């Protein structure tokens, strides 16, 4: 009997995503191709696997029963078929998905673009915005690597700290108050960077200790938006100093905060199944040298 192990990988994605389109995106296939693969899985198993319920697709009882076993089989197969060998970047043709915030992406891309073009022209690096969790996206295979400020706390997630950065205030060069002192820092309107729209962060704790309060004029999801706001009006935002420096227009500069704050780590994380994957290991090394070199 001929066994197509690719069907297991597709089944794992379909059961995790509960969507033909989501599974297609995850495996870098077209939606019609994934629909045909689902039809083959249905014929092979004699089960519908996913059934339409309104706008959703729900797994059948059989699919729920085998879901965890399928995921374990795919994970074990990936480990077996990923040889612990060297990879030739010039011959590598592969798409990697990296998840990080816009600050890291803004610092990484200008340095990485010429390196990939010169040494690995067949590699596509697909960048996604930072998510709410670290482990889930890596476990599901939607993301190959993540860079965040959170250390891994799951046994199946590997991580390494690339570097640490200091927080700094960012504003125009002609600010009416000196942001390097607490009174001047609190007197300026603030732009808070928060993808969830939060108006309070660790800076407010420091101000509370000194019985000071700041006025948050805007909350924005990305640093690029914050920089646009503080360039247009005398306000400040707080961001990692080293990563932000190369993104600043001439009208802006960084200012040291009135007191030291805990350094912000840049943590590179990946799932354990990629430990022996030579191409994945090559990319991890490349990201490390690019961001720390």
């Amino acid at each position: 009997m001929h066994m197509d192990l690719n069907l297991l990988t597709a089944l794992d994605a379909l059961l995790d995503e509960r969507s033909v389109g989501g599974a297609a995106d995850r495996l870098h296939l077209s939606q019609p191709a994934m629909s045909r693969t689902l039809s083959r899985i249905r014929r092979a198993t004699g089960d519908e696997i996913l059934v339409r319920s309104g706008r959703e697709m729900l797994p059948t009882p059989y699919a729920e029963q085998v879901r965890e076993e399928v995921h374990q089989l795919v994970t074990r197969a990936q480990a077996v078929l990923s040889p612990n060998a060297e990879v030739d970047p010039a011959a590598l043709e592969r798409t990697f998905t990296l998840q990080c915030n816009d600050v890291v992406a803004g610092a990484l891309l200008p340095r990485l673009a010429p390196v990939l073009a010169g040494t690995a022209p067949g590699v596509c690096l697909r960048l996604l915005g930072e998510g709410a969790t670290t482990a889930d996206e890596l476990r599901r295979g939607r993301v190959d690597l993540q860079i965040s400020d959170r250390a891994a706390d799951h046994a199946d997630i590997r991580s390494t700290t690339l570097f640490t950065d200091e927080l700094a205030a960012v504003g125009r060069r002609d600010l009416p108050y000196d942001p390097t002192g607490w009174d001047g820092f609190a007197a300026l309107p603030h732009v808070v960077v928060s993808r969830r729209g939060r108006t309070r962060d660790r800076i407010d704790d420091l101000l509370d200790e000194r019985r000071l309060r700041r006025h948050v004029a805007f909350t924005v999801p990305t640093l690029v938006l914050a920089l646009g706001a503080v360039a247009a009006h005398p306000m400040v935002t707080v961001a990692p100093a080293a990563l932000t420096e190369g993104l600043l227009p001439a009208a802006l500069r960084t200012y040291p905060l009135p007191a030291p704050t805990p350094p912000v780590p840049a943590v590179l994380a990946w799932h354990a199944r990629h430990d022996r994957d030579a191409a994945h290991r090559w990319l991890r090394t490349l990201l490390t040298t690019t961001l720390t070199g």
Side-chain angles (χ1 to χ4, degrees):
M1 179 180 179
H2 176 68
M3 297 290 291
D4 186 351
L5 295 181
N6 288 325
L7 293 183
L8 273 179
T9 303
L11 178 57
D12 182 46
L14 285 163
L15 294 181
D16 193 37
E17 300 287 345
R18 299 190 179 191
S19 162
V20 172
D25 288 342
R26 176 163 157 182
L27 299 179
H28 311 297
L29 297 173
S30 67
Q31 191 159 330
M34 182 54 71
S35 295
R36 291 192 295 271
T37 300
L38 176 57
S39 296
R40 292 179 59 199
I41 293 172
R42 286 168 169 167
R43 289 195 299 270
T45 61
D47 187 86
E48 286 296 297
I49 302 298
L50 293 174
V51 294
R52 179 70 61 184
S53 176
R55 295 186 176 181
E56 296 182 307
M57 295 193 78
L58 299 178
T60 64
Y62 170 77
E64 288 282 16
Q65 179 184 343
V66 301
R67 176 179 178 179
E68 186 58 32
E69 183 179 1
V70 168
H71 182 68
Q72 291 177 3
L73 286 171
V74 170
T75 300
R76 288 163 56 192
Q78 287 172 335
V80 170
L81 298 175
S82 297
N84 189 17
E86 296 301 317
V87 65
D88 180 9
L92 184 61
E93 294 188 4
R94 184 162 164 182
T95 297
F96 295 95
T97 301
L98 170 66
Q99 190 171 47
C100 60
N101 63 35
D102 70 311
V103 183
V104 173
L108 179 64
L109 287 183
R111 306 179 198 178
L112 195 60
V115 177
L116 283 181
T119 62
V123 168
C124 172
L125 189 60
R126 178 172 172 257
L127 266 67
L128 299 181
E130 191 175 30
T133 61
T134 299
D136 288 350
E137 300 299 300
L138 294 170
R139 282 173 171 165
R140 293 175 180 175
R142 296 176 181 172
V143 171
D144 294 297
L145 290 158
Q146 286 180 330
I147 301 177
S148 70
D149 61 358
R150 300 181 297 275
D153 56 359
H154 299 272
D156 58 341
I157 304 298
R158 308 287 190 255
S159 67
T160 183
T161 299
L162 300 176
F163 61 90
T164 58
D165 203 350
E166 302 294 331
L167 290 177
V170 181
R172 287 169 28 165
R173 297 178 182 274
D174 59 349
L175 292 175
Y177 304 106
D178 180 8
T180 64
W182 284 115
D183 290 337
F185 180 72
L188 290 162
H190 283 239
V191 180
V192 173
V193 180
S194 170
R195 69 179 185 276
R196 298 180 183 177
R198 293 174 176 169
T199 59
R200 185 179 176 89
D201 58 26
R202 69 187 79 182
I203 297 300
D204 295 282
D205 297 332
L206 296 173
L207 291 169
D208 287 346
E209 293 172 2
R210 294 155 178 85
R211 297 184 178 181
L212 294 171
R213 294 184 64 185
R214 62 176 175 171
H215 168 58
V216 175
F218 297 97
T219 68
V220 294
T222 66
L223 179 63
V224 171
L225 292 174
L227 296 182
V230 300
H233 187 74
M235 300 186 290
V236 291
T237 189
V238 175
L243 286 178
T244 303
E245 193 68 39
L247 304 177
L248 299 184
L252 299 181
R253 56 159 291 189
T254 59
Y255 297 85
L257 292 178
T261 59
V264 180
V267 180
L268 179 67
W270 64 96
H271 194 271
R273 65 176 172 270
H274 294 305
D275 276 346
R276 297 177 59 203
D277 184 332
H280 199 280
R281 190 169 60 247
W282 164 81
L283 180 60
R284 297 198 300 265
T285 301
L286 179 61
L287 292 175
T288 301
T289 57
T290 299
L291 280 173
T292 60

